[in-house]
Amino acid sequence: MLLARNDACWCGSEKKYKKCHMEFDKNLAQYKKEGYDIPGHHLILNEQDIVGLRESSKITKAILDQVADLIKPGITTNEINDFVHEYTLDHGGIPATLDYHGFPKSCCTSINEVICHGIPEDRALIEGDIINVDITTIFNGYFSDASRMYLVGEVSDNAKKIVETAKECLKVGMDQVKPYGSVSDIGLAIQAYANSKGYSVVRDFGGHGIGKNFHEDPHVSHFDTGTMGMIMVPGMVFTIEPMINEGTFKLEILEDEWTAVTKDGKLSAQWEHTIVVTEDGYEVLV
Ligand code: MF3
Ligand code: CO
Ligand code: CO
């Protein structure tokens, strides 16, 4: 799409291109020349979109807050799923994972050696488990995606440590987010931190652009892929969701075709936020 100086800007502001995103596009073209990926216009959301995402995020956050009160020995992951499902519908939302490429439930519940995409079932939580609950809500067409770890009763020191370190990995990843930085810096920082604590970083799954779709560009790697990565610009929305393992980063997918487990059966932990790049950094949506 080649716009003339006096055409209406592509962003929907109704300003002339030359008074709006013309400099911005020139600037990005320069990054592209240098070898970076640059975001397509559809990845740059406007203020109205961000308002929609904040509303969606409110539901996701409320669910994650309330799941904290449900987690105790004896509750099944199906019961957690039922709560998530009903709360979402009651608040006018749709659970994005339900029927997503055949995923059968309204959230993911990943216990102990499960890395991600665990399917809620009739297994009851037992004292000492650690569990990730991953919620994605669609509200008015806007997707918000976040997950947290929960401790079931008293857990081992090892379990506590990997849960805390995974949370810190998300934080050091977010510290890299700023306009005109590269998404690849996120993975570099996470990998360095995780390795310094003796953990490995899962390579087969990453964060993702999100907003009007569940999974969008960019792919947000949590380790060093050796690529220059995509330039971050204000209005880009994506998740960071590092999965870190006690032992090997290698994984296996169970016969259900979803559940990803560590190859060595050791613990894994993950936290996820959806964030938007702002003029001076980022805002956590949820
Ligand atoms: N919420 C997950 C993510 O963070 C995706 C789950 S997809 C599912 O991207 F199909 F497994 F539910
Ligand atoms: Co996600
Ligand atoms: Co998620």
Side-chain angles (χ1 to χ4, degrees):
M1 176 180 47
L2 264 185
L3 287 180
R5 300 169 55 79
N6 288 323
D7 287 346
C9 188
W10 52 261
C11 75
S13 64
E14 295 180 0
K15 287 191 218 159
K16 287 186 177 173
Y17 183 44
K18 68 182 178 194
K19 299 247 161 161
C20 199
H21 277 94
M22 193 172 85
E23 275 306 307
F24 172 91
D25 282 342
K26 269 194 197 151
N27 200 1
L28 279 189
Q30 190 54 40
Y31 280 104
K32 191 170 177 175
K33 256 193 205 155
E34 290 170 23
Y36 291 98
D37 290 332
I38 59 167
H41 292 162
H42 69 291
L43 297 179
I44 302 167
L45 302 191
N46 63 30
E47 192 46 41
Q48 189 188 325
D49 294 325
I50 304 307
V51 169
L53 280 165
R54 286 196 194 105
E55 286 174 355
S56 175
S57 297
K58 226 181 256 175
I59 299 174
T60 299
K61 179 178 185 306
I63 293 171
L64 289 168
D65 286 346
Q66 290 178 60
V67 163
D69 300 326
L70 295 179
I71 300 282
K72 45 178 75 72
I75 189 170
T76 68
T77 45
N78 262 339
E79 288 170 313
I80 296 169
N81 178 74
D82 290 346
F83 164 74
V84 172
H85 187 81
E86 268 152 47
Y87 187 97
T88 305
L89 295 189
D90 283 353
H91 290 79
I94 302 167
T97 61
L98 186 58
D99 294 330
Y100 177 76
H101 295 290
F103 191 83
K105 297 283 176 170
S106 298
C107 61
C108 298
T109 50
S110 303
I111 303 170
N112 297 337
E113 77 283 2
V114 180
I115 295 170
C116 63
H117 303 167
I119 303 174
E121 54 173 345
D122 284 328
R123 176 208 194 282
L125 299 182
I126 54 180
E127 178 110 9
D129 282 342
I130 58 172
I131 177 174
N132 174 281
V133 180
D134 192 335
I135 306 295
T136 313
T137 307
I138 315 171
F139 184 73
N140 263 335
Y142 291 106
F143 290 71
S144 58
D145 183 9
S147 80
R148 297 181 193 164
M149 296 298 298
Y150 303 89
L151 310 180
V152 183
E154 276 301 310
V155 309
S156 69
D157 287 344
N158 282 348
K160 256 183 231 162
K161 187 175 160 225
I162 192 170
V163 166
E164 281 316 304
T165 307
K167 190 174 189 179
E168 198 56 29
C169 282
L170 173 53
K171 171 105 195 2
V172 303
M174 290 195 301
D175 285 346
Q176 298 301 317
V177 177
K178 56 170 191 288
Y180 304 101
S182 165
V183 289
S184 69
D185 294 336
I186 297 169
L188 288 178
I190 290 172
Q191 185 173 37
Y193 184 78
N195 290 350
S196 79
K197 298 288 175 182
Y199 296 106
S200 66
V201 177
V202 170
R203 306 170 77 97
D204 296 26
F205 301 104
H208 49 94
I210 188 168
K212 297 176 188 173
N213 296 301
F214 196 164
H215 293 107
E216 264 286 8
D217 281 341
H219 175 76
V220 180
S221 164
H222 303 118
F223 66 100
D224 180 9
T225 56
T227 57
M228 291 176 80
M230 187 181 279
I231 291 297
M232 299 181 270
V233 302
M236 264 171 82
V237 178
F238 54 85
T239 73
I240 306 178
E241 46 183 301
M243 288 143 272
I244 66 165
N245 294 354
E246 249 181 351
T248 179
F249 64 83
K250 291 188 184 152
L251 58 79
E252 259 165 34
I253 307 292
L254 299 187
E255 259 175 33
D256 61 23
E257 293 181 358
W258 283 104
T259 310
V261 299
T262 57
K263 194 150 194 145
D264 55 13
K266 293 187 177 176
L267 292 177
S268 184
Q270 173 182 32
W271 294 74
E272 174 177 25
H273 279 318
T274 294
I275 66 177
V276 53
V277 181
T278 60
E279 294 296 334
D280 53 9
Y282 65 90
E283 172 188 335
V284 175
L285 293 168
V286 63

